[in-house]
Amino acid sequence: MKIIIHGGFFSESDQSTEVKTAKQDALKEIIEKSYSYLKDNSAEETVVYAVSLLEDDELFNAGTGSQIQSDGKIRMSASLMNGQTQKFSGVINIQNIKNPIEVAKILKNEDDRVLGGNGANQYAAEKGFEQYSTETQKRREEYEEKLKNGGKGTVGCVAIDKDGNLAAATSTGGKGFEIVGRISDSATVAGNYANTFCAVSCTGVGEDIVSNATAAKIVTRVTDGLSLKKAFDKTFAELKEINGFAGAIAIDRDGNIFHQDSEPTMVFASFDGSELEVFE
């Protein structure tokens, strides 16, 4: 059993040492809780659990604390993929939901498994999800002052359970101040992908991740026989060719954990039951 989570990027230029420490502490607490949960639950259930904890922490740009778009509203996206069943489910630009990843979870049982905008909102309401404001004072202040230093705050989790099953989940509040209708990578296979060989969750600039098909490329290359490291090396070399900004976390079927970012510093933590690693 192994697990790795990410919480976007940290920039020394626009965030304080106090915020950095707070994020490190939060990731430690969340990954330890999630690993304990993994002991008695599947990889799929665990990645949803971990991402929901990240969504609930306003330090991260997903769920509570999501970025505000150009029209002053918050729209969020999230997705889930089970490596064994090969089912991908997600919501795009959903509003006023505390945990978008939970909506993605129940969508996996539907024939239509990716919903966007009003359709996603209506589906969540029909399934009993309560209306919830994810706006925080900090995000409102950023919006009002038109600060443009967001866009790299997606959260995600990849896990392998005791039976060797892999799963990945990703959630985002967007990049902030985006054009209404913009779709991020988080609810696409470019940003969140898994099969029986490997599972990957990405963060960074969604347009770059989609252009590079980052998560799907890494998983496909591992499936075709490359090591996890070589799959990352090749995919991130291609990302560099388009001056892409991204980070990714992954676990392969042998339990190897890997993470990489195109620029410092991706916020992440990994745990295998004995060794805990947290970004510095």
Side-chain angles (χ1 to χ4, degrees):
M1 299 188 306
K2 295 184 180 181
I3 186 169
I4 183 168
I5 60 177
H6 69 70
F9 278 79
F10 179 86
S11 171
E12 298 285 357
S13 63
D14 56 39
Q15 295 188 36
S16 66
T17 301
E18 288 76 15
V19 171
K20 181 178 183 179
T21 300
K23 287 188 174 184
Q24 290 170 328
D25 292 342
L27 290 180
K28 288 177 185 177
E29 180 178 354
I30 289 170
I31 201 164
E32 287 174 352
K33 284 182 178 179
S34 300
Y35 186 83
S36 294
Y37 186 88
L38 180 60
K39 292 177 181 178
D40 299 313
N41 295 277
S42 69
E44 179 185 279
E45 292 168 326
T46 301
V47 295
V48 172
Y49 174 76
V51 168
S52 69
L53 293 178
L54 288 160
E55 288 175 334
D56 290 343
D57 193 323
E58 63 181 63
L59 282 168
F60 305 106
N61 176 29
T64 301
S66 289
Q67 296 273 5
I68 300 173
Q69 296 191 350
S70 59
D71 63 348
K73 296 180 181 179
I74 292 173
R75 297 175 180 85
M76 302 165 289
S77 298
S79 68
L80 168 68
M81 188 160 188
N82 184 308
Q84 273 55 47
T85 65
Q86 286 285 273
K87 285 187 175 181
F88 180 100
S89 58
V91 290
I92 298 171
N93 288 336
I94 197 168
Q95 293 177 266
N96 300 316
I97 294 295
K98 183 179 181 183
N99 295 112
I101 194 64
E102 294 286 353
V103 185
K105 178 183 178 181
I106 63 171
L107 272 168
K108 72 185 177 66
N109 299 315
E110 303 284 1
D111 291 332
D112 304 320
R113 294 194 292 271
V114 181
L115 300 180
N118 291 334
N121 296 332
Q122 182 177 338
Y123 178 84
E126 291 173 352
K127 293 299 180 180
F129 286 86
E130 295 181 356
Q131 291 282 291
Y132 177 88
S133 175
T134 58
E135 183 178 310
T136 63
Q137 182 179 351
K138 180 178 183 295
R139 292 303 190 199
R140 176 53 60 179
E141 290 172 352
E142 289 177 349
Y143 174 76
E144 290 175 350
E145 295 173 9
K146 299 188 181 299
L147 297 177
K148 295 183 180 181
N149 58 4
K152 310 173 186 71
T154 303
V155 303
C157 178
V158 176
I160 184 168
D161 61 29
K162 56 182 178 293
D163 297 318
N165 299 318
L166 289 158
T170 308
S171 181
T172 188
K175 65 180 182 179
F177 312 104
E178 59 264 65
I179 296 172
V180 176
R182 182 250 185 188
I183 294 173
S184 76
D185 66 288
S186 297
T188 75
V189 297
N192 192 72
Y193 197 67
N195 66 8
T196 58
F197 290 85
C198 181
V200 177
S201 173
C202 296
T203 183
V205 176
E207 286 73 11
D208 295 345
I209 294 168
V210 169
S211 294
N212 188 50
T214 305
K217 275 184 177 179
I218 293 170
V219 172
T220 299
R221 283 165 172 160
V222 172
T223 303
D224 288 344
L226 286 187
S227 68
L228 193 54
K229 182 181 184 307
K230 288 183 178 179
F232 264 80
D233 287 345
K234 185 171 180 60
T235 304
F236 271 76
E238 292 167 347
L239 182 70
K240 186 176 181 179
E241 291 174 0
I242 61 170
N243 296 314
F245 191 118
I249 58 174
I251 301 177
D252 67 17
R253 65 176 177 176
D254 296 320
N256 296 308
I257 297 177
F258 201 81
H259 59 85
Q260 187 169 333
D261 47 30
S262 62
E263 299 181 40
T265 300
M266 181 172 62
V267 174
F268 77 94
S270 63
F271 191 46
D272 62 5
S274 58
E275 184 175 349
L276 173 63
E277 182 184 1
V278 181
F279 83 101
E280 297 181 352

